[in-house]
Amino acid sequence: MRQGGKQKPLKKPKKKGQNLDEQDVAFKEKKKEEEKLVKQMAAKAAGKGPMYKIVFLGDQGVGKTSLITRFMYDTFDSHYAATIGIDFLSKTMYLDDKTIRLQLWDTAGQERFRSLIPSYIRDSNVAIVVYDITNKDSFNDVQKWFDYIRAERGTDVLIVLVGNKSDLEDKVITSEEGEEQAKKLGCNFFIETSSKNGYNVKKLFKKIAKLLPELQNEDADQALGGGNQNVQTIDVSTDKSPQEEGIANQ
């Protein structure tokens, strides 16, 4: 109470749920972005975040190594040497405020290394089966790679079917055949890619990353394979071209 005057009314506080003015909203958004950045940096420094093992399977020469290289380094080399045994790389992704660490296991497609394959599939979270859309034999062998996966992991694994080398014109396996095979085998989704020009490579890994956190939920069975109802396909015929995605052809 002021001497000789009336009491100064107190400013009425904003009620909970009351709309904030634009300045308040901008401040909160900026604060949220800063906190997100700090969490990402801290997780990167500490190596935190769930770790998922992704194993690449398929015949020799279908482009498993080139897919990994395009994703890791955004480069392409037309003269890759055949993978000897197993190669291993790791990458950290930041998606939807989450840090996801990926282990990418590149397996050899030659017959003499087949005895090594089961042991590397055994503790995998994701199996990517790759075939060459210009090579009928590599497509016919998809069933064989799928049998390896089911024998070692059952249905406790995400399975993706990838038709690689979509940049080539001498295509012998249609997109419809690839989708039908994915449904038949109970894969989680099918997609066509090109390691050479980068077409759909980022989309492949982003889609996998979005499915991975579901493995931590009680509803994990719904995210895993084991039935045609779980198959998701990407319509490659209506997808953006590499030019539209800002990827220059090589």
Side-chain angles (χ1 to χ4, degrees), residues 92-209:
T92 300
M93 293 183 67
Y94 303 108
L95 185 67
D96 298 335
D97 295 333
K98 295 180 180 178
T99 301
I100 301 174
R101 293 185 295 157
L102 305 178
Q103 291 182 342
L104 309 179
W105 294 78
D106 184 10
T107 63
Q110 302 100 304
E111 187 68 38
R112 62 195 176 107
F113 294 115
R114 295 290 165 82
S115 62
L116 299 173
I117 302 302
S119 61
Y120 288 99
I121 296 175
R122 201 160 295 144
D123 58 348
S124 61
N125 302 105
V126 182
I128 299 178
V129 180
V130 185
Y131 68 88
D132 178 349
I133 66 169
T134 68
N135 186 321
K136 183 74 173 177
D137 289 339
S138 71
F139 183 72
N140 291 337
D141 284 343
V142 165
Q143 177 70 60
K144 172 182 61 184
W145 295 108
F146 182 84
D147 291 341
Y148 273 117
I149 298 167
R150 287 304 187 209
E152 297 300 327
R153 297 291 286 132
T155 59
D156 297 326
V157 63
L158 294 170
I159 304 179
V160 180
L161 182 61
V162 176
N164 195 32
K165 305 187 181 182
S166 65
D167 56 285
L168 300 180
E169 296 181 357
D170 52 338
K171 184 176 185 178
V172 296
I173 306 299
T174 66
S175 302
E176 290 73 22
E177 287 178 297
E179 291 179 359
E180 184 61 31
Q181 182 73 307
K183 291 177 181 179
K184 174 185 173 183
L185 298 176
C187 300
N188 289 86
F189 69 90
F190 163 76
I191 188 172
E192 287 187 345
T193 61
S194 170
S195 303
K196 186 174 183 179
N197 61 34
Y199 179 63
N200 269 347
V201 175
K202 289 183 178 179
K203 178 178 285 187
L204 164 65
F205 286 95
K206 185 175 181 180
K207 190 168 181 63
I208 289 172

